[in-house]
Amino acid sequence: MSDSWVPNSASGQDPGGRRRAWAELLAGRVKREKYNPERAQKLKESAVRLLRSHQDLNALLLEVEGPLCKKLSLSKVIDCDSSEAYANHSSSFIGSALQDQASRLGVPVGILSAGMVASSVGQICTAPAETSHPVLLTVEQRKKLSSLLEFAQYLLAHSMFSRLSFCQELWKIQSSLLLEAVWHLHVQGIVSLQELLESHPDMHAVGSWLFRNLCCLCEQMEASCQHADVARAMLSDFVQMFVLRGFQKNSDLRRTVEPEKMPQVTVDVLQRMLIFALDALAAGVQEESSTHKIVRCWFGVFSGHTLGSVISTDPLKRFFSHTLTQILTHSPVLKASDAVQMQREWSFARTHPLLTSLYRRLFVMLSAEELVGHLQEVLETQEVHWQRVLSFVSALVVCFPEAQQLLEDWVARLMAQAFESCQLDSMVTAFLVVRQAALEGPSAFLSYADWFKEADYSSRPDTA
């Protein structure tokens, strides 16, 4: 059928006979909208959400820009075996390309670069590892991460990197994120551990994650792992930071989110580790089992080698006092009547060596006066675990010669209160403490009979 009857306007020809393109035909029908700042902001937010939800940022950029975007891949930056590393893909080149991409996508360059670096950290951490539950990087992973962090430092120095966005992206790969990678981010100033922890929306979840990773780190350290020096440095840095942030009084340290989050999570992790150790000892942990290795390593962090040379005295004393309270009060399953029958089994020589080693480490930081005073306060205000209370008394008189007089003075006050106010609890506590101390022999404390005679309680009219 001939189409000669079709008008020029319908056939797409202008009066001069030239066929017009569809873009020209449609141009007159499209109504141009005025610039709307609010709509532009919504579009930008939508683009940011798309970037954050996309699992493969390189693939997304390829969808937007085409094959030329392969130049933006960070694989050459983190591939230390490649002879092209930093040769054709320098930090400045990739940084410029990121800026161009951010401009085309209408999103801040800091968010785009943070997402790409976080994605690369995830790729490094999911590479084949040496153990089934790794917390340490392999040599190859460590080299690749080092190259990547050099690039991240360049982005930071040129205000092209969002720390907060980076933290949020990292938590999306939490299941594969290795603890050593987090430590390197902290040590090299990309994001501090404090920033990373505070950016997590669920403090309980992040506490559980840290607890599991610290247990694995302790186990690998005690198993003479290949990278023992790195592992020791990691554990020391983590514990020092936890103690400083968790037990620093009236802290004025800057925090990126809510000030109370950091002490909350650090104290929670420290308590989890101690309770895990105490429960293991109570259950009768087997020598050289994985649990035994974790407990032995964790109790080792209370040494001056790990803490004393860096942390100021006040937070450390508060941490040790808090630890002592937890030891004396956790899981108070035994009554005083049980203690009367069983306390001979709780002497210093029969107490688990790991627990006595912990007592000795606490004694380095706290004086005998402070320890006896703390024991007195705990017994007066809280329900206690009598086995650990009495084994602690044994450790006191064995390790501190001055503890005998301190305990005698305290017990005398308890007995006075008992007779004056008919406080049976005070009398029971006094007799238990004296009997326990006497078990350690005359070099540590008076015999029970000698103490009773010297105290002359038998001559009191109101004794039975």
Side-chain angles (χ1 to χ4, degrees):
M1 180 183 292
S2 173
D3 61 354
S4 60
W5 60 273
V6 180
N8 287 340
S9 58
S11 64
Q13 294 181 341
D14 60 19
R18 181 178 65 84
R19 181 176 293 277
R20 291 181 292 173
W22 276 107
E24 293 180 78
L25 291 170
L26 295 175
R29 302 183 181 215
V30 177
K31 182 179 179 181
R32 294 183 177 272
E33 295 185 8
K34 294 182 179 180
Y35 175 73
N36 186 329
E38 183 177 348
R39 184 171 179 271
Q41 181 62 30
K42 288 182 178 179
L43 286 172
K44 181 179 289 188
E45 291 173 357
S46 297
V48 170
R49 284 196 298 272
L50 178 63
L51 283 172
R52 286 179 171 171
S53 62
H54 206 287
Q55 296 299 314
D56 188 345
L57 286 171
N58 289 329
L60 175 61
L61 292 172
L62 283 171
E63 292 174 15
V64 176
E65 290 279 333
L68 289 177
C69 277
K70 290 181 179 179
K71 295 180 180 179
L72 264 182
S73 174
L74 298 183
S75 60
K76 296 295 183 182
V77 175
I78 65 176
D79 186 2
C80 297
D81 289 336
S82 173
S83 60
E84 297 180 275
Y86 285 108
N88 300 320
H89 300 271
S90 66
S91 295
S92 58
F93 169 76
I94 297 179
S96 297
L98 279 170
Q99 286 181 315
D100 291 342
Q101 289 293 341
S103 177
R104 292 189 180 103
L105 292 170
V107 297
V109 66
I111 291 178
L112 180 62
S113 63
M116 294 191 73
V117 174
S119 177
S120 297
V121 170
Q123 292 172 22
I124 292 171
C125 289
T126 53
E130 296 174 342
T131 60
S132 57
H133 299 286
V135 289
L136 300 175
L137 300 166
T138 64
V139 173
E140 185 64 24
Q141 287 173 311
R142 197 171 292 128
K143 288 180 180 178
K144 290 184 176 183
L145 183 65
S146 177
S147 298
L148 177 63
L149 297 190
E150 285 184 30
F151 173 63
Q153 287 171 336
Y154 169 86
L155 294 174
L156 274 170
H158 292 80
S159 302
M160 297 166 58
F161 190 82
S162 167
R163 282 187 169 94
L164 178 58
S165 180
F166 179 64
C167 292
Q168 293 169 341
E169 294 300 320
L170 281 180
W171 288 126
K172 292 180 182 179
I173 58 168
Q174 177 178 332
S175 59
S176 60
L177 188 61
L178 298 186
L179 192 64
E180 186 184 340
V182 171
W183 178 67
H184 283 295
L185 291 170
H186 172 79
V187 170
Q188 298 192 32
I190 308 303
V191 288
S192 68
L193 186 61
Q194 179 175 328
E195 288 178 276
L196 184 60
L197 296 183
E198 288 183 341
S199 68
H200 199 290
D202 187 343
M203 290 295 98
H204 180 77
V206 77
S208 298
W209 180 81
L210 274 170
F211 166 70
R212 289 193 302 271
N213 278 273
L214 286 175
C215 285
C216 292
L217 179 62
C218 287
E219 183 179 355
Q220 291 183 32
M221 285 177 62
E222 289 296 307
S224 300
C225 65
Q226 180 182 355
H227 311 292
D229 291 344
V230 173
R232 278 193 295 269
M234 286 173 58
L235 185 61
S236 179
D237 284 353
F238 279 122
V239 173
Q240 287 173 15
M241 192 277 290
F242 290 165
V243 173
L244 279 174
R245 298 299 184 266
F247 295 92
Q248 185 161 0
K249 194 174 182 180
N250 298 324
S251 172
D252 59 351
L253 296 172
R254 291 183 179 180
R255 295 190 172 92
T256 57
V257 191
E258 299 177 12
E260 68 275 7
K261 279 189 175 182
M262 196 60 187
Q264 174 187 338
V265 70
T266 54
V267 172
D268 176 60
V269 172
L270 292 171
Q271 288 189 174
R272 283 173 186 256
M273 293 299 296
L274 179 62
I275 289 172
F276 171 83
L278 295 176
D279 287 344
L281 294 180
V285 61
Q286 295 296 314
E287 187 88 12
E288 296 307 315
S289 64
S290 60
T291 300
H292 187 274
K293 292 175 181 177
I294 294 170
V295 174
R296 183 171 61 201
C297 177
W298 184 250
F299 284 176
V301 306
F302 290 85
S303 66
H305 175 74
T306 303
L307 295 170
S309 61
V310 178
I311 296 179
S312 58
T313 302
D314 288 344
L316 192 54
K317 278 195 169 186
R318 281 190 284 271
F319 169 53
F320 276 39
S321 296
H322 178 80
T323 299
L324 180 55
T325 300
Q326 294 297 307
I327 293 171
L328 300 177
T329 61
H330 174 62
S331 187
V333 294
L334 296 170
K335 299 178 181 179
S337 56
D338 299 318
V340 172
Q341 298 175 9
M342 303 170 64
Q343 66 181 127
R344 186 172 294 276
E345 302 299 319
W346 302 338
S347 65
F348 184 81
R350 297 187 180 185
T351 299
H352 198 289
L354 289 178
L355 186 56
T356 57
S357 72
L358 178 58
Y359 288 150
R360 289 178 181 275
R361 290 184 172 105
L362 295 177
F363 293 169
V364 172
M365 180 57 59
L366 302 172
S367 67
E369 292 83 358
E370 289 171 321
L371 292 165
V372 172
H374 195 80
L375 175 62
Q376 177 181 349
E377 180 182 352
V378 169
L379 284 168
E380 289 176 352
T381 59
Q382 301 188 53
E383 193 175 359
V384 297
H385 189 290
W386 277 106
Q387 181 177 2
R388 288 195 290 270
V389 166
L390 295 179
S391 67
F392 176 73
V393 169
S394 284
L396 267 176
V397 296
V398 169
C399 297
F400 287 104
E402 63 270 35
Q404 175 175 341
Q405 189 60 53
L406 292 168
L407 287 176
E408 284 186 21
D409 294 343
W410 171 41
V411 167
R413 291 193 297 272
L414 283 174
M415 294 300 292
Q417 292 172 8
F419 286 121
E420 290 172 5
S421 306
C422 297
Q423 295 180 6
L424 182 59
D425 287 347
S426 296
M427 184 177 294
V428 171
T429 299
F431 283 131
L432 283 174
V433 168
V434 171
R435 287 183 67 194
Q436 188 67 32
L439 288 175
E440 304 306 327
S443 62
F445 201 83
L446 296 171
S447 69
Y448 185 71
D450 289 342
W451 168 81
F452 197 78
K453 290 176 183 177
E454 286 192 10
D456 196 27
Y457 293 120
S458 59
S459 64
R460 288 181 179 262
D462 39 354
T463 56

